[in-house]
Amino acid sequence: MTVPLPFRRKKTRAFRIPTIDLSSDHRSELPRLIVKACEEFGFFKVVNHGVPNHIITTMEREGLDFFAKPASEKQKAAGPPTPFGYGCKNIGFNGDQGELEYILMEANPLLVSQRSNTMSDHPKQFSCAVNDYVEAVRNLACEILDLVGEGLCECGVYNDKSVFRKLIRDVNNDSCFRINYYPSRHLPPSPSSHCMGFGEHSDPQILTVLHSNDVAGLQIYSPDGFWISVPPDPTEFCVFVGDAFQALTNGRFVSVRHRALANSSRQRLSIMYFGAPPLNAWISPPLIPEFSVDERRLYKPFTWGEYKKVVYSSRLGDRRLDLFKWSPRKEEDHDMIPPPSPVQFN
Ligand SMILES: C=C1C[C@]23C[C@@]1(O)CC[C@H]2[C@@]12CC[C@H](O)[C@@](C)(C(=O)O1)[C@H]2[C@@H]3C(=O)O
Ligand SMILES: O=C(O)CCC(=O)C(=O)O
Ligand SMILES: [Fe+2]
């Protein structure tokens, strides 16, 4: 029997979030699978990642202890977000707001130790929790970046598989670390009522690695134009391609737009490591030999420091990378001599 038209269910393409099993017996396939996920979605989940569970639970406990303090204590302990510090509802410097509290910190062990002196009644315990967590998750990020490098070398595009890892491992890397806390909410029952925890945006850095407790909220924007809820699973990590990775790969990878809803009756805690290069690193893809005048270059070369300035003068949802689009017909772009790319071409 044919169903009358108004009752037909709208067909939507089944969407499966790419999931990478790092302990897979088919390890040789991982580079290709990760590159595919970065190209198609700019997002994937990682299972069997090797980050010890006690490192994650200790970090979560320290985070929850901090957010359980009275507001005045939290403000005094961590200072206002400049951008590093404790924030409540205000995101960035340009009027963005969300239903959350957060701590934003440098991912550098020395700076973590300094900040912890005021942030916790047990500074040593707090700084150890953050430093252990950052180290373990940075190692995971490096493993992923090496697999990406391997995948791109296999395609014949690059010849140094460790180039991306080196950028976030550099002694002067500008990586940072964030804990977001979305308090529980008791909303009147309405299927459409959703409250914005952290608005739509893409992350500016190279790669973001996110962990969350078992409370839903994270959504990614799919290539075919739908918001997809990412099922929460504390045994997994979520990996996001950031704007700098999109530029480094000349648009081959896409930085995924994402947001976090905060309408759960349970509190949500998410922890993010944002892997970034040093401020003076050039974010520039390798030149493509057959196009001598950069015809195929999508973005003007820029340093991470230049990009960060634009990031902090923009609104959360802005498409900042668009400001760096390369136009060979524009005189100023045409005369620009591209700096050496950190990424070597074969
Ligand atoms: C509104 C803003 C907050 C943000 C800096 C910005 O001006 C635009 C990008 C935002 C973002 C999103 C990803 C990360 O959470 C973050 C730390 C980053 O690097 O860029 C935040 C910035 C922030 O909260 O300070
Ligand atoms: O808290 C989350 O789940 C996402 C937050 C986020 O995207 C960010 O802090 O950049
Ligand atoms: Fe983000």
Side-chain angles (χ1 to χ4, degrees), residues 1 25 91 93 96 120 152 157 165 178 188 196 208 247 285:
M1 193 185 85
D25 290 340
I91 303 172
F93 306 121
D96 287 288
S120 169
L152 293 176
V157 184
R165 187 233 307 155
R178 169 174 213 136
M196 199 48 74
T208 304

Side-chain angles (χ1 to χ4, degrees), residues 91-92 96 104 178 201 203-205 274 311-312 314 316 320:
I91 303 172
D96 287 288
L104 189 57
R178 169 174 213 136
H201 66 285
D203 292 344
Q205 294 81 2
F274 301 98
V311 166
Y312 274 101
S314 64
L316 184 60
R320 295 164 274 273

Side-chain angles (χ1 to χ4, degrees), residues 52-210:
N53 196 38
H54 72 269
I55 289 188
I56 300 170
T57 52
T58 305
M59 188 63 258
E60 282 187 327
R61 202 182 49 239
E62 289 294 328
L64 288 172
D65 282 354
F66 177 85
F67 291 112
K69 289 177 193 235
S72 59
E73 251 184 67
K74 288 183 269 197
Q75 279 155 10
K76 206 172 136 219
T82 57
F84 300 118
Y86 164 74
C88 177
K89 296 197 175 169
N90 293 318
I91 303 172
F93 306 121
N94 305 308
D96 287 288
Q97 296 239 313
E99 288 302 318
L100 88 161
E101 295 177 46
Y102 61 88
I103 311 172
L104 189 57
M105 307 174 75
E106 304 87 345
N108 171 321
L110 283 177
L111 299 175
V112 168
S113 300
Q114 275 172 25
R115 204 171 272 283
S116 304
N117 287 332
T118 56
M119 275 194 60
S120 169
D121 308 331
H122 309 283
K124 194 104 216 260
Q125 200 175 297
F126 186 83
S127 63
C128 279
V130 177
N131 285 334
D132 290 353
Y133 184 89
V134 167
E135 195 192 325
V137 173
R138 181 187 290 129
N139 285 339
L140 173 62
C142 288
E143 187 177 347
I144 292 166
L145 289 177
D146 277 353
L147 286 164
V148 169
E150 221 174 294
L152 293 176
C153 287
E154 272 169 22
C155 307
V157 184
Y158 302 102
N159 65 7
D160 175 6
K161 84 172 181 75
S162 52
V163 64
F164 304 114
R165 187 233 307 155
K166 284 179 190 153
L167 285 171
I168 68 160
R169 266 242 182 267
D170 189 289
V171 277
N172 296 314
N173 76 78
D174 186 47
S175 305
C176 60
F177 167 78
R178 169 174 213 136
I179 312 180
N180 288 343
Y181 173 74
Y182 303 90
S184 55
R185 285 172 63 91
H186 296 281
L187 294 168
S190 150
S192 62
S193 68
H194 68 220
C195 157
M196 199 48 74
F198 202 105
E200 173 185 349
H201 66 285
S202 61
D203 292 344
Q205 294 81 2
I206 296 181
L207 199 76
T208 304
V209 182
L210 172 147

